[in-house]
Amino acid sequence: MTVPWRKAIRDFWHERARTVLVVLAIALGISAFAAVMSSYAILTRELDLGYLATNPASAVLRLDSIDDETVKAILQNPEVSDAEPRRTIRGQIKAGPVQWRNLMLFVVQDYGNIRVSTLVPERGAWPPANGEILIERDAFQVAKANIGDAVTVKTVNGVEQPLVISGSVHDVGQAQARMENIVYGYINLATLVQLGYVTGNRMTNVQTRNTKLRARGLRILMAEAGIDEERANIGIDLAGGDLPLAIVMAKTGCELNEAKQALNSSSGVVTKAIEALQK
Amino acid sequence: MINLKAVSKTYETPAGKFAALKNIDLEIRSGEFVGVVGKSGSGKSTLLNMLAGIDRPSSGAVAVAGTEIHALPENKLAVWRGRNVGFVFQFFQLLPTLTAVENVMLPMDFCKTFPLRERRKRALALLERVEVGAHADKLPATLSGGEQQRVAIARALANDPPLVLADEPTGNLDSVTATSILDLFRRMANQGTTVVIATHEADIARVIDRRIEIWDGQIHPKITQMFSR
């Protein structure tokens, strides 16, 4: 053995406590590094698997209205393997005496047959009954609510309505609710009608605040009331830009104040207001 | 043996440029024993480092044993230094975990100048030559200052270099021991090794061939004298 080797070995032996510490520190560092790398690999793999297991949608089409015919037409395209209608509404949910959180409501027609961007039931009821809402498991903290609580949701025209939280779901495809500070809720079609969002087969709860929304409002009013664009324009102006009001006025021929009263007493549900006025 | 032409060395310091050596011309013959004398900070150590190839000149040429060392790249310079220069330090710089004989073998192991089996034999012979053969297997800490410096000198001779440099080799020793160490350098010079030592010991005139006085980074012409031996 040459002298440099002898020196190295003797130095290590001379400082054996320090040598052991350094070896331990290196071993610890390497294993920590390996642990981080393997957790990263496992997490990435499992997150991808978890996401892919929900059969995530490759594309989302946003439409004014959706019916079975439209879905069928989309499925005609040989490159589309599956398609499912799902309505999305934005509103607010009460999280405290004066605190409101953004709410994104997903309306699922058939909870027994979700094929695209699937939901995993976690606790409580599945599917939600009429007047009930399921909350994404990460959104309970945002909503400051628990299963069984009655919560107040506010729709775009400001009408507050109660819903009961009946369960929780895991929606892998959504951004984390706590990060987005938003509550993801899941209701059925009957609850959507109850909230006053639907007239016929259309989402009528539109405030015509900008050109795009006004164009959509015009299309819906023309279709619902069976009138031409010129008259629809006048109708929306008379209603001060409020589409539900415009529909009630166009379909019943009543005055603005009458329509407002009717909508107020029907909690904003257009169909009920029209029925009441037509009696 | 040694030929310095217009060698200058300037250091950048926070206070500005500092010239450690100014335009030095110097020639030292083979087998000459030269004492470089000067006050602290005069540039003695810088000059020695220049000769050893530890430091590079800012300008000028340094030729030692026929090699222009200022032009060598760092890796070749290290190889050249290992085979051509022995260096003795004021504080010995022996490795504390190696025995005396192992300290002397170390340069041979690094430069592979002698066959593996001959190295220990040669190291022991060198220790005998500097009169510490009896302490070959002791650790440096168990030796006196004079004995440690003898071991360091044996180490400097390990690769049989043509040039031995010593920076204040007696600075840390009592006067009796210092005298015997200087005698040892004298004997090395008599055997043909070029020896350059830096010192502020006034009492070296007895042993050296030539005295070079450095003042403020320059060789002082009047005090630099030849001694006839």
Side-chain angles (χ1 to χ4, degrees):
Chain A
M1 192 165 42
T2 58
V3 176
W5 279 108
R6 266 185 260 175
K7 169 174 161 42
I9 290 164
R10 234 173 276 169
D11 285 352
F12 280 132
W13 180 244
H14 192 72
E15 298 285 348
R16 43 195 179 277
R18 205 182 290 184
T19 305
V20 168
L21 272 178
V22 167
V23 168
L24 277 179
I26 292 172
L28 205 70
I30 290 174
S31 44
F33 182 73
V36 167
M37 291 312 282
S38 50
S39 348
Y40 179 75
I42 292 168
L43 269 178
T44 315
R45 189 186 68 207
E46 291 303 312
L47 282 174
D48 284 351
L49 280 180
Y51 179 61
L52 289 174
T54 66
N55 190 25
S58 311
V60 176
L61 303 179
R62 299 188 186 279
L63 306 165
D64 295 342
S65 66
I66 186 81
D67 52 28
D68 293 344
E69 296 304 313
T70 317
V71 177
K72 263 183 206 157
I74 291 167
L75 282 169
Q76 296 277 302
N77 189 327
E79 290 185 24
V80 177
S81 67
D82 205 348
E84 215 183 298
R86 193 175 298 175
R87 292 170 202 243
T88 311
I89 320 156
R90 287 181 174 276
Q92 287 187 304
I93 184 166
K94 207 169 190 176
V98 287
Q99 290 164 290
W100 291 88
R101 295 270 185 266
N102 285 327
L103 171 71
M104 191 178 271
L105 272 178
F106 297 95
V107 186
V108 179
Q109 267 178 327
D110 182 359
Y111 277 84
N113 187 27
I114 307 179
R115 303 178 310 277
V116 181
S117 298
T118 56
L119 305 171
V120 182
E122 288 253 319
R123 287 182 296 135
W126 176 271
N130 295 354
E132 289 182 353
I133 182 172
L134 305 179
I135 301 274
E136 216 285 323
R137 66 175 186 187
D138 194 53
F140 280 90
Q141 282 188 29
V142 183
K144 291 186 182 143
N146 290 305
I147 294 175
D149 290 356
V151 286
T152 306
V153 302
K154 191 154 67 173
T155 55
V156 177
N157 59 4
V159 180
E160 295 179 16
Q161 298 193 63
L163 288 175
V164 173
I165 301 177
S166 59
S168 70
V169 298
H170 186 197
D171 190 348
V172 182
Q174 298 302 333
Q176 224 189 351
R178 278 179 294 162
M179 291 290 170
E180 302 286 311
N181 200 25
I182 193 170
V183 176
Y184 301 117
Y186 305 84
I187 57 175
N188 65 19
L189 202 52
T191 310
L192 182 73
V193 175
Q194 184 187 319
L195 287 176
Y197 274 94
V198 183
T199 307
N201 193 30
R202 292 187 175 81
M203 306 268 291
T204 50
N205 203 336
V206 176
Q207 302 297 308
T208 56
R209 283 166 302 184
N210 58 37
T211 346
K212 190 181 135 194
L213 286 172
R214 186 175 173 100
R216 189 201 287 186
L218 273 178
R219 286 197 302 272
I220 295 170
L221 182 57
M222 284 155 67
E224 275 300 310
I227 53 178
D228 61 23
E229 190 173 343
E230 196 186 345
R231 292 190 59 195
N233 257 317
I234 297 169
I236 284 180
D237 286 341
L238 281 175
D242 187 312
L243 184 61
L245 272 178
I247 293 175
V248 172
M249 288 162 71
K251 287 188 103 170
T252 61
C254 68
E255 295 290 319
L256 180 63
N257 284 338
E258 264 183 292
K260 268 187 186 166
Q261 268 174 15
L263 271 173
N264 275 341
S265 42
S266 75
S267 298
V269 180
V270 173
T271 332
K272 276 190 197 164
I274 291 171
E275 273 169 25
L277 284 169
Q278 280 171 344
K279 265 179 195 168
Chain B
M1 176 66 197
I2 295 173
N3 201 340
L4 268 60
K5 280 199 186 114
V7 169
S8 295
K9 179 69 188 181
T10 315
Y11 293 106
E12 297 283 347
T13 67
K17 282 186 180 176
F18 171 74
L21 292 179
K22 298 169 189 165
N23 208 27
I24 298 251
D25 288 307
L26 177 64
E27 207 177 319
I28 296 172
R29 292 188 311 276
S30 207
E32 206 175 359
F33 187 177
V34 175
V36 180
V37 183
K39 283 184 284 187
S40 295
S42 59
K44 297 192 299 287
S45 294
T46 308
L47 180 64
L48 244 61
N49 288 344
M50 228 40 94
L51 299 181
I54 294 170
D55 211 343
R56 287 169 185 280
S58 306
S59 64
V62 182
V64 179
T67 309
E68 299 279 333
I69 59 170
H70 62 277
L72 285 183
E74 211 57 53
N75 52 347
K76 285 190 181 162
L77 192 58
V79 174
W80 174 87
R81 199 188 297 131
R83 289 167 187 244
N84 291 282
V85 182
F87 213 103
V88 180
F89 305 89
Q90 180 176 359
F91 296 102
F92 326 134
Q93 313 291 5
L94 297 172
L95 294 178
T97 50
L98 295 181
T99 62
V101 70
E102 285 168 344
N103 265 289
V104 178
M105 286 161 71
L106 195 58
M108 295 187 253
D109 282 337
F110 278 139
C111 296
K112 300 186 173 64
T113 34
F114 295 90
L116 193 55
R117 285 183 202 159
E118 283 177 32
R119 290 176 197 165
R120 185 176 167 87
K121 216 162 71 186
R122 177 174 163 79
L124 287 170
L126 285 167
L127 288 173
E128 284 297 339
R129 192 171 145 197
V130 296
E131 296 156 6
V132 283
H135 303 306
D137 292 318
K138 292 184 183 169
L139 290 175
T142 63
L143 303 179
S144 73
E147 287 161 348
Q148 288 191 51
Q149 194 59 303
R150 285 167 190 270
V151 174
I153 291 167
R155 178 182 59 181
L157 297 173
N159 287 329
D160 197 19
L163 174 63
V164 169
L165 303 170
D167 196 358
E168 304 276 2
T170 57
N172 203 37
L173 302 174
D174 64 78
S175 59
V176 178
T177 316
T179 307
S180 67
I181 292 289
L182 287 175
D183 286 341
L184 193 51
F185 280 120
R186 178 68 254 168
R187 286 209 297 279
M188 281 158 51
N190 291 345
Q191 284 161 7
T193 308
T194 311
V195 181
V196 180
I197 71 171
T199 181
H200 41 243
E201 208 89 14
D203 190 28
I204 55 162
R206 188 177 56 78
V207 289
I208 57 178
D209 298 323
R210 180 154 59 124
R211 173 188 168 95
I212 295 171
E213 180 108 12
I214 296 210
W215 276 24
D216 199 16
Q218 286 171 303
I219 294 176
H220 202 281
K222 286 182 186 165
I223 309 176
T224 302
Q225 316 149 3
M226 290 288 283
F227 291 81
S228 55
R229 289 190 63 86

